[in-house]
Amino acid sequence: MKLLPFLVLISSLLDYGCTSASCNMTCHKDARCEVQGGTTGCYCSQGYTGNGITFCYDDNECENATQPCGEHANCTNTVGSYFCMCVPGFKSSNGQETFVPNDGTSCLENPKAKCELYKDCITEHINRTLAGISHLKTPLEMLQEINKNTLGPLLPIDVISYVEALSYSSLNTMHYSVSDNEALRNTTINVLVNTVNNFLQKDKITVWEALPVDNQRRSLTKLMHTAEQVMLLMSQNFKKTTQLDVNASDIALKVFAFDSHHMKHIHPHVYTGGDYVKISPKKREESHPNGTVAVVFLRYSNIGSLLSSPKNRSSKDTSEQRQTVSSSVIAVAISSNPPMLYELEKITFTLKYTKIADKDIKCAFWNYSADTMNGNWATEGCELTHSNSTHISCKCNHLTHFAVLMSSGGSVGVTNYNILTRITQLGIIISLICLSMCIFTFWFFSEIQSTRTTIHKNLCCSLFLAELIFLIGINMNNNKLFCSITAGLLHYFLLAAFAWMCIEGIHLYLIVVGVIYNKGFLHKNFYVFGYVSPAVVVGISAALGYKYYGTTEVCWLSTKNNFIWSFIGPACLIILVNLLAFGVIIYKVFRHTAMLKPEVSCYENIRERMKEIKSSFATGTIFCSEPERQPGNPLMSCTYPVPEVLLLSCSSLGLPGSSGSSMSYRDLWLLHIFLQSSMHSRGCSSSYFFACCLGRFRKSIIGCSKMFLAVSAA
């Protein structure tokens, strides 16, 4: 009875598939001779389909209607099998990049992928990373955990989080737990070097470049600062004269540790990767007291591009010129006990660099604050001693991180940036004052109420609100929600301003071509187009890409996935419509003049029109020179009250955020065609415009108000 279950198992295996030892059939290379269902034959292997003798075709499991990879995963077919990969924003439950879901592996949402690198998001992930290592007892265990987690691909938020974790685990804990065990200390140094190297490998540079410039430089500075300080801290505990070398793929370390009795005999220097660095201490006449000295050299191969000035930089700490790091970055640090035991006189170094023609070469150091981790390149205390086409020699009187800089092209410096910012803010304030005066005039002067003033009133209101929001909230990007709302409101009111500008062009076109329309019906449609259509555009944009409202630089539309075109597209369309309307108007003026003055040649007529166009761009108004009203002509004479036509040109349709700049929004120009009926009623031509404006007291207020509004709007 005990053998019965075993016999049943053997029987079932023979019945449902096994390789027959006596099978002498010739099968396909992707098939096996088996017994299945009591029948011996050639059966294709798993992942193949066919008769097993002449052919076995690969099954494409990815075309299976059952979706073998499940949700949030992409299937890739291979010969005889397949594998799955999670889509962006998700990660596999087993932590592997590729998987086959036969073991229950699925794709889970990756919360890090949604982090847009705002303050709250960064803080959340830093706290989560620190919590993940806080249960570990020793700095070495923490370093090993960070080293393991940074070996593979990283997200930008991972870089920031793990740099903070490395700084915490190294600086905050090693002060209290530096071991006297030399083997343990050497192991800790090796793990630290390899961990730092994980961040700086060539394939991780693109991850660093995805960070905003300020976050990128701050985290990189903290990483270099942590490596330098921890190495000094660990080196101070060597009990005997020591030289330690640790090399990784993208970072090299050399440590000198000695006591005061060996100071005269040890000259710390390093030669690595074609670079040579040597320090020279000050000579001491008195005898050396008992003490210890530690000197640390670090060489970073690949971080030069991260510390160079970006081509399209909008950060406030940009330098006076575009600076490119053309060498490796070296760091030198000294620690002695007592502190005055080993004082630096000078440091000399020769670095290998890539020379570019017509570039200014400098010896520079990374000047940063240990409190804020903000830094910039400086040259004080460093001088160039010799250079050729491959190497440059420098001498400095202080320690920090050094490199060779090449400067080219002027850019906006810190001082100039602040000055331009203040000028822009002052200009916007003046603009707001003028717009408020225009709004007051349009709203409360009943004698000038018309379709034209209604359009201008709404246009001024839209511009006023857009500029006010820009002034208050454009740089308040610390709060993601507030920044997104600011960007959305700015998007809406700028589109509303464009819409009313388009309405003005359309209204002028209707008058020029002599279309008879219902004023009330027209006003209603104007309001719908002026305020509802921008709301529709903003609503659709927010529904499709709400996360692109607000950037890490300014509260404006992001340029990711071309989202900025939700503003540029409608704006360009409106400019095109107004250009067409302007062209029709100029053509009508040309035809009208030709009919009134047939004796004037075509060439003279065109020249007069070009003068009027140039005058319009210079003064914001176009004056027609016909003093008499001619019945039936489409313009109803040049002194007929045709409302102002708008032609918008924007110095930067991208506005803040399209290229990283926070102050691009400032150049809006209005081109008005201003024709005064009140002047004609008093028998005044355009030549006497200002005299008529200063005529009778009651009429002059209205006339001057119109002139002021036209010129101030321009």
Side-chain angles (χ1 to χ4, degrees), residues 313-331:
R313 180 111 185 249
S314 64
S315 179
K316 297 178 181 62
D317 60 350
T318 181
S319 56
E320 290 295 334
Q321 291 180 317
R322 164 140 175 83
Q323 297 173 330
T324 303
V325 178
S326 60
S327 69
S328 58
V329 176
I330 59 170

Side-chain angles (χ1 to χ4, degrees), residues 374-386:
N374 291 321
N376 61 280
W377 289 108
T379 58
E380 291 82 2
C382 292
E383 60 178 288
L384 188 153
T385 58
H386 176 74

Side-chain angles (χ1 to χ4, degrees), residues 500-617:
W500 282 103
M501 293 170 185
C502 184
I503 289 170
E504 187 175 13
I506 294 172
H507 180 244
L508 175 62
Y509 173 80
L510 294 176
I511 292 178
V512 169
V513 299
V515 175
I516 300 176
Y517 55 86
N518 182 287
K519 185 176 180 180
F521 176 78
L522 194 64
H523 279 205
K524 180 180 178 181
N525 284 277
F526 281 172
Y527 278 104
V528 170
F529 181 78
Y531 291 118
V532 177
S533 59
V536 171
V537 173
V538 174
I540 295 174
S541 301
L544 297 177
Y546 64 91
K547 64 180 180 180
Y548 298 119
Y549 277 98
T551 71
T552 55
E553 297 284 343
V554 289
C555 298
W556 178 236
L557 309 186
S558 173
T559 56
K560 294 180 180 178
N561 294 330
N562 296 316
F563 188 73
I564 190 67
W565 280 94
S566 61
F567 171 73
I568 296 179
C572 289
L573 179 62
I574 290 172
I575 291 174
L576 179 61
V577 170
N578 278 334
L579 282 173
L580 293 175
F582 182 73
V584 171
I585 293 167
I586 294 300
Y587 175 74
K588 291 289 185 180
V589 171
F590 175 80
R591 290 290 303 274
H592 172 65
T593 306
M595 287 188 299
L596 291 179
K597 295 183 177 181
E599 71 278 3
V600 178
S601 66
C602 181
Y603 171 76
E604 290 295 330
N605 195 355
I606 293 175
R607 192 174 68 171
E608 287 298 320
R609 301 291 76 77
M610 293 305 298
K611 286 182 179 180
E612 290 166 3
I613 293 174
K614 288 192 293 182
S615 175
S616 71
F617 278 99

Side-chain angles (χ1 to χ4, degrees), residues 295-316:
V295 181
V296 172
F297 297 94
L298 284 162
R299 179 182 182 271
Y300 303 96
S301 303
N302 296 322
I303 65 174
S305 61
L306 301 178
L307 294 176
S308 300
S309 301
K311 293 181 180 179
N312 297 316
R313 180 111 185 249
S314 64
S315 179
K316 297 178 181 62

Side-chain angles (χ1 to χ4, degrees), residues 171-233:
L171 295 179
N172 295 347
T173 61
M174 286 189 182
H175 278 291
Y176 309 103
S177 57
V178 176
S179 174
D180 290 333
N181 187 316
E182 185 174 343
L184 178 60
R185 187 164 53 245
N186 290 344
T187 301
T188 303
I189 291 176
N190 275 274
V191 174
L192 177 60
V193 170
N194 288 307
T195 303
V196 174
N197 187 71
N198 288 345
F199 288 97
L200 304 178
Q201 291 173 340
K202 287 184 178 180
D203 58 346
K204 304 289 178 61
I205 297 300
T206 54
V207 181
W208 283 93
E209 290 172 345
L211 290 169
V213 175
D214 291 338
N215 295 93
Q216 176 192 114
R217 291 198 166 187
R218 192 178 300 115
S219 294
L220 187 58
T221 302
K222 177 166 283 191
L223 181 64
M224 294 190 298
H225 177 77
T226 300
E228 176 186 293
Q229 294 302 311
V230 172
M231 295 305 175
L232 282 177
L233 186 64

Side-chain angles (χ1 to χ4, degrees), residues 236-299:
Q236 287 176 346
N237 290 271
F238 285 109
K239 298 300 182 181
K240 57 183 180 180
T241 302
T242 303
Q243 289 188 32
L244 177 65
D245 291 271
V246 181
N247 294 304
S249 61
D250 299 283
I251 181 175
L253 166 73
K254 186 163 188 176
V255 176
F256 289 85
F258 49 91
D259 58 31
S260 57
H261 302 291
H262 295 84
M263 286 175 52
K264 290 184 178 181
H265 309 291
I266 295 178
H267 306 285
H269 66 281
V270 62
Y271 183 86
T272 176
D275 299 332
Y276 177 77
V277 188
K278 179 183 178 180
I279 61 172
S280 301
K282 291 181 178 179
K283 295 181 179 180
R284 300 172 61 95
E285 296 181 359
E286 68 274 12
S287 60
H288 302 296
N290 293 329
T292 58
V293 179
V295 181
V296 172
F297 297 94
L298 284 162
R299 179 182 182 271

Side-chain angles (χ1 to χ4, degrees), residues 346-416:
K346 66 179 179 179
I347 173 174
T348 56
F349 54 90
T350 300
L351 301 182
K352 185 178 180 180
Y353 77 109
T354 303
K355 187 174 182 179
I356 303 175
D358 302 325
K359 303 292 183 181
D360 183 23
I361 305 174
K362 299 178 183 177
C363 301
F365 69 96
W366 187 245
N367 184 26
Y368 69 94
S369 166
D371 296 327
T372 64
M373 294 298 164
N374 291 321
N376 61 280
W377 289 108
T379 58
E380 291 82 2
C382 292
E383 60 178 288
L384 188 153
T385 58
H386 176 74
S387 68
N388 56 31
S389 59
T390 59
H391 289 77
I392 182 171
S393 297
C394 306
K395 179 175 67 175
C396 297
N397 58 15
H398 52 74
L399 297 175
T400 183
H401 300 78
F402 303 95
V404 177
L405 289 188
M406 288 191 176
S407 302
S408 63
S411 60
V412 181
V414 180
T415 304
N416 292 340

